[in-house]
Amino acid sequence: MIDRLAEVERAEGRDYTSFSVRGKRFGYYWPRTKTTGLKQTLSEQEALVAERPDVFEVQFTAGGFGWVVVYLQGVEADELSELVYEAWRLSAPEDLVEANPLKRVSRGRR
């Protein structure tokens, strides 16, 4: 999924990988816990957590955005792809977003 997005920069930490676009962070992946942290709007953060608290939890809020922890076993690939794209879109400059619309993934692929 990440490889389909434009200009993604990866940074490896001891316990996680972070993802940025043009220097702005939009996500994290923690292999040990099989979770990801994704930037979302505050309203989307609230909706995701309220709708499925077994899959999503509040990570933190910063700069007017709400970050969510996503338990990967609880989401389908197409939903995760949309969440990752939305996180990327919230960090990418407008011209890059316009040049790279969301491309759907096949069900079952990650």
Side-chain angles (χ1 to χ4, degrees):
M1 286 176 204
I2 293 292
D3 293 336
R4 294 184 192 122
L5 300 172
E7 298 187 34
V8 172
E9 304 143 9
R10 296 173 190 251
E12 299 292 331
R14 189 183 73 162
D15 297 322
Y16 63 89
T17 303
S18 64
F19 304 97
S20 303
V21 56
R22 293 195 185 168
K24 292 187 179 178
R25 188 83 24 102
F26 68 88
Y28 298 89
Y29 170 61
W30 295 276
R32 184 180 57 77
T33 59
K34 296 182 175 111
T35 59
T36 188
L38 295 171
K39 186 179 198 178
Q40 298 294 302
T41 64
L42 290 170
S43 60
E44 186 66 10
Q45 177 197 50
E46 186 177 309
L48 289 168
V49 173
E51 183 180 301
R52 295 188 350 229
D54 56 320
V55 177
F56 303 102
E57 70 181 51
V58 172
Q59 186 175 19
F60 62 90
T61 59
F65 295 100
W67 288 70
V68 293
V69 172
V70 182
Y71 291 88
L72 296 174
Q73 76 279 2
V75 295
E76 296 288 328
D78 57 344
E79 180 181 21
L80 183 59
S81 180
E82 289 177 18
L83 292 168
V84 169
Y85 179 83
E86 181 64 12
W88 174 87
R89 185 189 70 76
L90 290 170
S91 295
E94 194 173 312
D95 63 324
L96 192 59
V97 173
E98 288 174 7
N100 295 275
L102 176 63
K103 295 178 181 137
R104 303 283 176 186
V105 296
S106 303
R107 266 193 168 278
R109 287 185 56 198
R110 285 197 183 199

